[in-house]
């Protein structure tokens, strides 16, 4: 709650994910957003179609503007998720599908029995996501430019693994700076530890906003 208060007016929304949701549930999320922040609820739903659809309907009271499913759940699951989302009417969140986790590289893809390289697997899954009329994908910045050209301007690209110049990459293997990601076609930048772990999170967020303003206005 304290971190959210510090970041009021400095970020476009808050992303809260599986760890927080399991520990604190919908009530905890409402306490953090407190009507002052948009909510990106990042649960990466991946289950049978009926269960994922139920998950989408169940999150309606906390009104996320964006949420995630896994593209590897398959077409039936993704279509069920979108049907449930549309049933929510004005409370409908945008739904984006995770292609490949940004913690995975080519060796990891082969290890779990998928066809590499990562960039080709991302493109195959993005085609499936678009065919299922999902709003967009979560993708690495390294795939953003290729996906934007392949999928068109109306396909939402949500990009994690964003690290300002000089930041530690942590467990992310495919990273890029905010400016580079926007230049390559990213719509939503997911920036965690460079802000949350900074001595002054608001100042860290504002510095990134300033860098992006130079790009978007220039």
């Amino acid at each position: 709650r304290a971190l959210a208060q510090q970041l009021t007016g400095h970020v476009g929304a808050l992303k809260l994910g599986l760890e927080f949701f399991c520990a604190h549930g919908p009530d905890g999320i409402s306490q953090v957003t407190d009507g002052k922040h948009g909510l990106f609820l990042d649960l990466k739903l991946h289950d049978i179609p009926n269960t994922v659809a139920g998950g989408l309907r169940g999150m309606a009271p906390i009104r996320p503007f964006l949420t995630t499913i896994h593209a590897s759940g398959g077409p039936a699951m993704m279509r069920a998720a979108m049907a449930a989302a549309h049933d929510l009417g004005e409370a409908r969140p945008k739904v984006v599908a995770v292609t490949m986790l940004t913690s995975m590289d080519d060796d990891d893809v082969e290890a779990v029995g998928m066809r590499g390289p990562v960039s080709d697997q991302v493109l195959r899954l993005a085609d499936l996501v678009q065919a299922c009329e999902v709003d967009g994908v979560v993708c690495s910045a390294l795939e953003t430019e290729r996906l934007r050209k392949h999928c068109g301007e109306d396909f939402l690209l949500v990009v994690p693994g964003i690290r300002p110049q000089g930041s530690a990459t942590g467990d992310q293997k495919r990273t890029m700076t905010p400016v580079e990601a926007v230049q390559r076609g990213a719509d939503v930048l997911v920036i965690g530890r460079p802000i949350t772990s900074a001595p002054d999170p608001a100042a860290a967020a504002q510095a990134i906003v300033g860098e992006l303003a130079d790009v978007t206005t220039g």
Side-chain angles (χ1 to χ4, degrees):
R1 289 199 297 266
L3 180 61
Q5 289 170 1
Q6 291 179 58
L7 293 173
T8 301
H10 298 288
V11 296
L14 300 180
K15 181 176 83 74
L16 294 171
L18 187 62
E19 290 179 273
F20 187 94
F21 191 79
C22 288
H24 305 289
D27 288 343
I29 286 176
S30 297
Q31 289 180 50
V32 171
T33 56
D34 195 27
K36 300 175 183 176
H37 292 279
L39 171 63
F40 172 13
L41 185 58
D42 184 22
L43 299 183
K44 299 183 180 71
L45 300 178
H46 188 174
D47 212 310
I48 62 172
N50 188 61
T51 298
V52 170
L56 262 293
R57 288 189 292 267
M59 66 179 67
I62 53 177
R63 296 181 72 92
F65 84 95
L66 183 67
T67 193
T68 49
I69 60 177
H70 265 287
S72 55
M77 189 206 79
M78 287 193 281
R79 291 190 178 103
M82 293 310 298
H86 284 295
D87 285 344
L88 299 180
E90 292 183 359
R92 156 168 141 67
K94 293 283 188 182
V95 180
V96 290
V98 175
T99 51
M100 300 300 301
L101 296 170
T102 54
S103 59
M104 298 180 73
D105 58 18
D106 289 346
D107 290 338
D108 296 318
V109 171
E110 297 289 345
V112 296
M114 295 180 179
R115 286 183 290 152
V118 168
S119 57
D120 289 348
Q121 179 66 5
V122 166
L123 202 63
R124 285 190 290 269
L125 289 172
D127 281 338
L128 180 60
V129 169
Q130 203 162 29
C132 294
E133 299 184 344
V134 179
D135 295 304
V137 294
V138 181
C139 64
S140 161
L142 301 183
E143 288 98 42
T144 301
E145 187 172 14
R146 188 181 184 193
L147 284 171
R148 177 59 69 215
K149 292 177 180 177
H150 185 78
C151 298
E153 293 298 321
D154 295 332
F155 197 61
L156 190 64
L157 300 182
V158 177
V159 183
I162 300 297
R163 294 289 182 266
Q165 197 70 41
S167 297
T169 59
D171 58 1
Q172 304 281 354
K173 293 181 179 179
R174 294 177 287 142
T175 65
M176 189 169 286
T177 69
V179 169
E180 290 170 329
V182 168
Q183 289 174 333
R184 294 185 183 214
D187 293 305
V188 177
L189 303 182
V190 181
I191 308 173
R193 280 162 285 187
I195 294 174
T196 61
S197 299
D200 185 340
Q206 199 57 47
I208 295 169
V209 171
E211 292 177 17
L212 291 172
D214 291 340
V215 174
T216 55
T217 59

